Amino acid sequence: MITFYEKDRVFKLDTPHTSYLIGIVDEENFIGHIYYGKRLKESEASYLMRTGEPPFVPSQNNRERCSFHDCFPFEYPTGGLGDYRESCFSIRTPGGHVGSMLAYVSHEIIAGKPLLAGLPATFGSEQECTTLRIVCEDKYIGMQVELLYTVFADNDAITRSVKVINTGKEAFYLTKVLSACLDMDYRDYEMISLHGSWARERHIQRKALGYGIQSVSSYRGESSHQDHPFLALVDKNTTQEHGEVYAMNFVYSGNFRAQAEVSQFDLVRMSMGIHPEHFCWKLEAGESFQAPEVVMVYTDQGLDAMTGTFHKLYKKHLIRGEYKDKKRPILINNWEATYFDFNTEKLLSIAKEASKLGIEMLVMDDGWFGKRSSDNCALGDWKVNEEKINGGLKYLVDEVNKLGMKFGIWFEPEMISPDSDLYRAHPDWAIAIPNRPATESRQQYVLDLSRKEVVDYIYEMVANVLRSANIEYVKWDMNRQLSDLGSLSLPADRQGELYHRYVLAVYEMQGRLVKEFPHLLLENCSGGGARFDPGMLYFSPQIWCSDDTDPIERLEIQEGTALIYPLSTMGAHVSDCPNHTVGRVTPFETRGIVALAGTFGYELDVTKIPQEDRDMIPAQVAMYHKYNDLVREGDYYRIASCAQNHKFDCWQVVSEDKQQSLVTYVQVLNRANFKSKRILLKGLEVDTRYQVQFVNDEKVEPKVYSGDTLMKAGLLVPNPWGDFRSVLIELKAV
Ligand code: DGJ
């Protein structure tokens, strides 16, 4: 619900458990942030903007206007006029000046949620959500800025975005347009962010917030392995179950910056948006720029509650398409099985064996097109290599279909190899700086998707392959980050638009793809999980989580990913041992149990793995079919983190009706002479009695306990014998 209190000039945005208050102050109509936190009954907290204490508002004390600008809690801070904290917005006027200030002009409260032109965003019907649009202006520049806020009837998240309109007569340049800001009082916060590298994505980092600026960011052209478009400020006592959390997550897949600044007055400014580095967007008179959406979550119930809010929002109001709420086919991908060394016979032999074991789809990974026999060449030549795929693609797909399996295929549409027919024909289609040798990465360049002819050509190449056979799944990969930013089609003063235009074009291509092929299951991927973000989730219900398939490494990666994203989105496969990335040998059972927390599939040569591993597959397949509805749709809780305790990991999912639950416990190294572990379960019904069954340990007798006992007193999990062992526990209401 959103209400405007006209007399007090206060907007009150209410979600089921939170309130967000915005105020308009003084004759100049400054827009201030009043409050974000637990739901308030009244709208009377505008004193929190401290306009009644020195330096007072400019109408009362204009000689200290600069001091006012420097401490007022701006709802959307612009810079250059005396607010010395880092702003969210910056402009270069035709005269080369940078200062700007926004004043309230008007507002409207709308049922539903408007689309954001060209961008992925959360959505909801007129019954499900309400939107506030505040129109502000800088009359000296000739510019309007619209601040957009949406609240959902069934969710505690608030979404925000910003649109800038040039209402003047001359073009100006936007050099910074962040999407969200929170100016708040500092309360001994810590910041939580997600960091990583290739094969080590989204590890949780928590550290104290100090004076000055602290940020996480990417200007790699994608959300990246290294940092993640997520930031949470939490009370230093916040745990999984208790305490305050202010979180932001960016619905965008390109450069970003998430930042917190603690100022001289112990005020904190938290912000998120497109990274201003290398960003410069020319806005002609009459044109507008739409910045992407930020999702904000506040809770005083700890990290589990934050996670629950994100998961529910994304499941219901972001992810789309046929597979949104559906069990995904169990796939087998040939990447770790064969790398580039495969042909029709090899793929069919894998498919034949896999189909006998209950696997439902074969995915042909990198290497099926052009002259691609290694990662040195042929990106852009999206024509089947009939020397490898002898008999042609349709033949292969038909044969796989005859086995009762679906067929999926890999593409890397955004790339071009210097050694490719495409590059030989169109060297100017690669992003590069003129008269400077372009920097290669994995021996490839990035296509200049700001050019419509490039997008159209590549789209048609990809779509033609999909039109040629019964292909039901696409893995859309992206294996290098952007550098050498230069487009031959953009004038000098628009080169700073390339990063963002690139992301918009990726969205456009994926939008076209899912429209033309509505039954396609799309899985995004970027050298593992470098583009695992809400922007991509708008197009694909699942994203490959990491190239590291070792189940022990995956614990930390999946814990960090699941902090924000539903388990249904996490691409997770069982692979062979020794693991190809870390060389670790783990039980096949544990590999299956860890992959069960994601989309579940295989990435191995099923004709070559040990017989005892192969024999376990039908039972794993059955387990997937038995538990996937629960894993996909249930509420997720973090019980223990091996990243913190270095001993064991534990998580739980509980069905919405609380009648069923699945607990996964993974031991890292076994240690001598220890007792069983006591774990406190979550999310159960206090008065319901549950039968507790150790699914993969028949020695432990099923017992019945109440939800109350299991949550307060806990459950004992016997120490499994051996390293990297795992335990699956099913709870059923009796
Ligand atoms: C990176 C992906 O993450 C892998 O799964 C695989 O598809 C390779 N690219 C292929 O080049």
Side-chain angles (χ1 to χ4, degrees):
M1 194 172 70
I2 299 179
T3 318
F4 180 54
Y5 294 86
E6 212 163 333
K7 195 168 129 287
D8 301 331
R9 303 212 293 168
V10 166
F11 295 100
K12 185 163 182 279
L13 291 69
D14 290 318
T15 74
H17 304 98
T18 75
S19 292
Y20 188 101
L21 268 63
I22 302 166
I24 305 165
V25 300
D26 207 26
E27 294 158 1
E28 290 177 54
N29 292 337
F30 296 105
I31 305 163
H33 177 70
I34 301 174
Y35 171 85
Y36 185 27
K38 276 190 260 193
R39 184 156 172 163
L40 295 177
K41 289 197 168 66
E42 311 289 341
S43 61
E44 62 201 5
S46 53
Y47 51 83
L48 290 174
M49 290 185 287
R50 297 190 173 89
T51 47
E53 53 187 77
F56 303 108
V57 287
S59 64
Q60 287 173 36
N61 185 18
N62 198 41
R63 77 182 290 279
E64 296 305 344
R65 174 186 276 271
C66 204
S67 302
F68 170 77
H69 287 175
D70 202 23
C71 66
F72 183 68
F74 283 104
E75 186 55 31
Y76 188 67
T78 50
L81 301 177
D83 178 354
Y84 297 106
R85 295 161 291 177
E86 168 111 27
S87 71
C88 283
F89 181 84
S90 197
I91 192 172
R92 207 170 64 240
T93 64
H97 305 112
V98 298
S100 59
M101 178 64 68
L102 296 176
Y104 166 85
V105 176
S106 64
H107 73 270
E108 57 177 330
I109 295 170
I110 314 156
K113 187 170 190 292
L115 295 172
L116 302 187
L119 287 165
T122 54
F123 51 80
S125 67
E126 292 189 359
Q127 289 69 41
E128 290 168 334
C129 51
T130 313
T131 299
L132 166 67
R133 177 185 280 125
I134 302 180
V135 180
C136 3
E137 71 171 356
D138 184 324
K139 61 183 182 202
Y140 302 100
I141 291 173
M143 171 184 78
Q144 281 199 342
V145 174
E146 293 182 3
L147 307 178
L148 215 65
Y149 302 80
T150 298
V151 294
F152 298 80
D154 63 352
N155 193 286
D156 275 317
I158 298 179
T159 63
R160 279 180 75 166
S161 66
V162 171
K163 183 173 167 185
V164 185
I165 306 146
N166 184 345
T167 52
K169 293 199 171 59
E170 283 181 272
F172 56 72
Y173 296 90
L174 296 170
T175 53
K176 175 161 54 174
V177 192
L178 302 193
S179 296
C181 180
L182 277 176
D183 267 6
M184 308 182 287
D185 286 11
Y186 177 62
R187 271 175 289 164
D188 235 354
Y189 287 128
E190 293 183 343
M191 65 185 258
I192 297 180
S193 52
L194 300 172
H195 290 262
S197 183
W198 171 76
R200 240 188 307 117
E201 295 90 341
R202 290 174 295 286
H203 287 199
I204 297 172
Q205 174 174 270
R206 181 167 175 166
K207 62 180 187 195
L209 190 67
Y211 286 106
I213 288 175
Q214 290 113 104
S215 68
V216 291
S217 67
S218 160
Y219 34 86
R220 296 166 182 269
E222 62 172 354
S223 41
S224 89
H225 302 94
Q226 288 75 12
D227 277 347
H228 196 73
F230 166 81
L231 181 66
L233 298 188
V234 302
D235 189 89
K236 76 168 190 294
N237 299 315
T238 291
T239 61
Q240 286 298 132
E241 301 83 16
H242 307 285
E244 289 205 294
V245 182
Y246 289 91
M248 287 186 182
N249 192 200
F250 202 21
V251 189
Y252 189 61
S253 312
N255 293 350
F256 74 89
R257 192 182 71 192
Q259 184 165 294
E261 176 179 4
V262 184
S263 76
Q264 56 180 331
F265 302 117
D266 282 358
L267 301 173
V268 55
R269 173 169 289 173
M270 182 182 186
S271 63
M272 182 173 272
I274 293 180
H275 204 304
E277 177 93 1
H278 309 309
F279 174 82
C280 183
W281 193 277
K282 185 177 185 185
L283 214 55
E284 297 282 1
E287 282 184 352
S288 61
F289 178 86
Q290 176 64 60
E293 176 168 279
V294 165
V295 176
M296 301 190 304
V297 173
Y298 167 82
T299 176
D300 64 335
Q301 309 280 309
L303 291 167
D304 279 339
M306 175 203 77
T307 296
T309 301
F310 278 120
H311 283 201
K312 288 199 171 79
L313 183 81
Y314 292 161
K315 280 194 225 175
K316 185 155 177 207
H317 299 287
L318 179 72
I319 298 167
R320 306 171 302 161
E322 188 168 302
Y323 281 97
K324 174 180 162 66
D325 300 315
K326 244 173 63 179
K327 204 156 40 143
R328 321 281 158 74
I330 301 176
L331 65 81
I332 183 157
N333 178 304
N334 74 309
W335 178 242
E336 288 197 20
T338 65
Y339 294 103
F340 293 99
D341 182 19
F342 62 89
N343 57 18
T344 300
E345 284 71 42
K346 176 83 233 174
L347 293 176
L348 284 178
S349 72
I350 293 177
K352 268 183 202 135
E353 188 59 33
S355 71
K356 284 189 223 149
L357 300 168
I359 297 172
E360 300 160 314
M361 176 160 73
L362 175 78
V363 175
M364 178 170 70
D365 210 280
D366 193 354
W368 56 267
F369 52 92
K371 295 202 169 50
R372 183 96 166 162
S373 51
S374 73
D375 59 10
N376 290 339
C377 63
L379 292 170
D381 299 342
W382 301 112
K383 289 224 175 84
V384 179
N385 175 347
E386 298 220 0
E387 277 168 33
K388 269 171 129 174
I389 309 304
N390 37 316
L393 183 60
K394 181 153 174 22
Y395 169 76
L396 172 63
V397 177
D398 288 348
E399 288 302 300
V400 170
N401 286 168
K402 278 187 206 156
L403 294 167
M405 291 175 85
K406 295 179 189 294
F407 185 88
I409 198 166
W410 177 99
F411 284 100
E412 196 178 357
E414 301 157 61
M415 298 293 151
I416 180 165
S417 303
D419 179 8
S420 66
D421 293 342
L422 185 65
Y423 189 75
R424 283 182 279 278
H426 299 286
D428 58 316
W429 280 14
I431 288 179
I433 300 172
N435 304 321
R436 171 181 283 278
T439 311
E440 290 184 12
S441 174
R442 210 193 192 207
Q443 209 162 332
Q444 63 197 59
Y445 301 136
V446 183
L447 280 167
D448 180 0
L449 300 183
S450 71
R451 296 170 67 164
K452 187 169 173 345
E453 69 272 30
V454 178
V455 169
D456 288 346
Y457 177 87
I458 294 295
Y459 179 80
E460 276 307 305
M461 293 289 275
V462 170
N464 275 336
V465 173
L466 299 183
R467 290 172 196 137
S468 73
N470 183 27
I471 298 172
E472 298 178 78
Y473 162 106
V474 163
K475 177 175 173 187
W476 179 305
D477 204 348
M478 188 236 192
N479 282 303
R480 69 155 288 180
Q481 302 178 323
L482 275 62
S483 68
D484 305 59
L485 270 275
S487 165
L488 281 180
S489 73
L490 292 172
D493 66 348
R494 286 194 180 271
Q495 291 291 330
E497 300 176 11
L498 186 51
Y499 271 119
H500 184 56
R501 286 186 184 275
Y502 179 86
V503 180
L504 292 179
V506 172
Y507 291 151
E508 208 250 308
M509 282 169 90
Q510 296 210 350
R512 256 201 244 180
L513 193 75
V514 295
K515 192 160 175 225
E516 181 176 347
F517 303 98
H519 305 301
L520 191 75
L521 173 56
L522 182 62
E523 175 156 1
N524 267 293
C525 169
S526 175
R531 215 163 48 180
F532 202 124
D533 58 58
M536 299 319 287
L537 280 181
Y538 185 70
F539 299 97
S540 66
Q542 60 192 59
I543 301 178
W544 184 228
C545 209
S546 176
D547 275 348
D548 193 339
T549 50
D550 171 73
I552 302 305
E553 293 283 301
R554 273 292 181 124
L555 296 176
E556 207 167 338
I557 296 169
Q558 293 184 185
E559 179 191 3
T561 309
L563 186 68
I564 320 170
Y565 306 108
L567 304 189
S568 61
T569 65
M570 299 197 305
H573 297 168
V574 177
S575 64
D576 200 8
C577 274
N579 179 269
H580 293 195
T581 308
V582 290
R584 186 177 288 127
V585 177
T586 52
F588 198 74
E589 180 180 54
T590 295
R591 285 177 258 160
I593 282 178
V594 173
L596 207 63
T599 55
F600 195 76
Y602 291 86
E603 180 129 356
L604 40 74
D605 186 342
V606 76
T607 66
K608 287 196 180 139
I609 56 170
Q611 187 63 39
E612 68 261 31
D613 290 355
R614 194 160 41 230
D615 289 346
M616 289 176 77
I617 293 180
Q620 289 182 338
V621 165
M623 224 158 55
Y624 169 78
H625 288 303
K626 183 164 180 204
Y627 295 123
N628 184 256
D629 285 350
L630 174 60
V631 170
R632 234 182 36 250
E633 291 164 10
D635 295 332
Y636 162 88
Y637 298 94
R638 174 57 46 181
I639 310 272
S641 160
C642 77
Q644 281 169 31
N645 65 33
H646 305 295
K647 295 188 180 101
F648 69 102
D649 215 57
C650 187
W651 65 90
Q652 182 186 3
V653 281
V654 183
S655 62
E656 213 185 333
D657 63 6
K658 300 190 183 295
Q659 297 297 292
Q660 204 195 352
S661 174
L662 192 68
V663 180
T664 310
Y665 176 101
V666 183
Q667 168 170 276
V668 185
L669 295 182
N670 195 13
R671 301 170 74 207
N673 200 17
F674 268 99
K675 298 289 178 205
S676 54
K677 296 268 176 346
R678 184 162 77 111
I679 55 167
L680 301 181
L681 300 191
K682 298 182 180 179
L684 304 173
E685 205 72 79
V686 175
D687 296 324
T688 302
R689 294 191 69 78
Y690 295 90
Q691 171 170 300
V692 179
Q693 190 180 356
F694 283 65
V695 179
N696 59 337
D697 189 348
E698 281 151 14
K699 291 196 295 297
V700 187
E701 291 254 310
K703 295 260 170 58
V704 174
Y705 304 105
S706 74
D708 188 53
T709 307
L710 290 166
M711 291 192 292
K712 290 179 186 157
L715 183 71
L716 293 180
V717 180
N719 251 2
W721 171 253
D723 295 338
F724 317 127
R725 292 278 162 193
S726 49
V727 181
L728 207 57
I729 306 160
E730 186 187 353
L731 279 77
K732 261 200 220 139
V734 290

